[in-house]
Amino acid sequence: MNLKIVFLVLFIAAASAKSASKLVEKFAWNVLDYAYPDQATKQHALNTGEFIPQNGIPVGIEVWRDKLFVTVPRWRKGIPSTLNYVNLRNNYNKSPALIPYPDWRTNKEGNCEGVTTTYRIKADACDRLWVLDSGTLGIENTTQQLCPYGILVYDLHTDRLIRRYNFKPEDTNPQTFIANIAVDIGKTCDDTFVYASDELGHGLLVYSWAENTSWRVEHGFFLQTL
Ligand SMILES: *[C@@H]1O[C@H](CO)[C@@H](O)[C@H](O)[C@H]1NC(C)=O
Ligand SMILES: *[C@@H]1O[C@H](CO)[C@@H](O)[C@H](O)[C@H]1NC(C)=O
């Protein structure tokens, strides 16, 4: 299968009050590229199969100030980094190379302190970036659980990891697949809950920032009725 097609086009609405609002293409990639520190490092990654450009498919985006985050799950081999961004300021390149966030080491495959595969991420009003890591390689019947399901929270001002929480074994089941998260802030930034919908395992995971604990909610309404 060849994925060399235009697979992601990001649009922004043109700020025209007069005409019907028109979508403007901001970035487009035929294949994803990564901002390696130098050409030799990139060539080495290409030679070893650590980086296989046509295997990268971006699935999630988020914007915080001048950063556009782009997530790339490790569905196939050769994904050097899952959590990335491009700079929105002064970026005249239509197909900018992705910069691993916050760094390469965090995104290294096999680093269970870092991020293995993330789909959806959220930047909240307290300038924190919430990253749900599925810990998986592959997709569907090729899925391997390399690291636990977890949540990483970054301070977007300093790009420092402020918390890593691994879900409890009883929070997930063998079918678990989490595509989306919602961040719910109460009166203060400490009063935050995260909800993660387990769409294939049919449940809802809840994480409390204040208590630093998680639990799973199940209900008959979460089951598919065909
Ligand atoms: C996974 O499923 C596909 C069809 O959906 C099949 O072609 C493939 O052989 C399966 N792979 C494994 C490892 O079971
Ligand atoms: C939150 O809980 C996790 C695991 O239960 C632990 O590793 C981590 O240190 C805790 N963090 C804080 C800030 O209490």
Side-chain angles (χ1 to χ4, degrees):
M1 190 170 58
N2 196 332
L3 296 169
K4 276 184 195 162
I5 44 170
V6 176
F7 47 65
L8 181 83
V9 180
L10 298 171
F11 294 103
I12 55 164
S16 164
K18 281 185 208 129
S19 63
S21 120
K22 226 170 110 191
L23 296 173
V24 174
E25 188 181 289
K26 180 85 175 154
F27 298 121
W29 291 268
N30 286 325
V31 289
L32 292 179
D33 192 13
Y34 283 88
Y36 280 93
D38 53 64
Q39 192 54 36
T41 311
K42 181 173 169 180
Q43 196 53 51
H44 179 76
L46 287 165
N47 293 348
T48 57
E50 215 174 290
F51 177 31
I52 305 176
Q54 63 269 29
N55 282 357
I57 301 179
V59 300
I61 57 167
E62 176 65 301
V63 175
W64 183 81
R65 300 205 178 167
D66 57 5
K67 283 189 174 77
L68 169 73
F69 290 94
V70 179
T71 65
V72 186
R74 287 195 158 98
W75 283 339
R76 305 178 82 197
K77 290 189 189 315
I79 309 302
S81 169
T82 185
L83 177 62
N84 315 284
Y85 74 97
V86 298
N87 209 316
L88 289 172
R89 204 182 324 158
N90 304 330
N91 210 331
Y92 303 114
N93 186 341
K94 274 218 119 182
S95 311
L98 303 185
I99 304 165
Y101 186 87
D103 52 37
W104 283 96
R105 194 179 57 82
T106 297
N107 281 280
K108 195 162 173 56
E109 186 179 312
N111 174 11
C112 290
E113 301 292 305
V115 201
T116 303
T117 280
T118 184
Y119 297 96
R120 298 295 144 78
I121 56 179
K122 288 272 155 60
D124 73 12
C126 303
D127 296 329
R128 297 173 295 198
L129 183 72
W130 295 80
V131 179
L132 184 99
D133 180 13
S134 72
T136 52
L137 302 182
I139 185 169
E140 294 173 347
N141 62 357
T142 67
T143 303
Q144 286 172 266
Q145 194 74 45
L146 187 69
C147 300
Y149 260 92
I151 286 181
L152 294 92
V153 188
Y154 287 91
D155 176 338
L156 283 161
H157 289 288
T158 60
D159 302 327
R160 298 251 309 258
L161 179 70
I162 46 177
R163 194 172 291 186
R164 162 143 206 145
Y165 178 83
N166 289 343
F167 282 106
K168 299 168 185 170
E170 62 267 32
D171 291 336
T172 57
N173 63 35
Q175 277 72 48
T176 290
F177 178 85
I178 297 170
N180 218 345
I181 56 169
V183 179
D184 182 18
I185 303 173
K187 286 201 173 66
T188 67
C189 293
D190 278 334
D191 180 21
T192 301
F193 289 87
V194 170
Y195 306 106
S197 53
D198 180 355
E199 59 178 68
L200 297 184
H202 307 302
L204 185 73
L205 276 63
V206 184
Y207 170 73
S208 159
W209 170 268
E211 305 286 339
N212 191 36
T213 191
S214 61
W215 60 94
R216 181 182 178 86
V217 180
E218 287 190 351
H219 191 277
F221 286 178
F222 295 161
L223 297 173
Q224 275 170 310
T225 47
L226 297 171

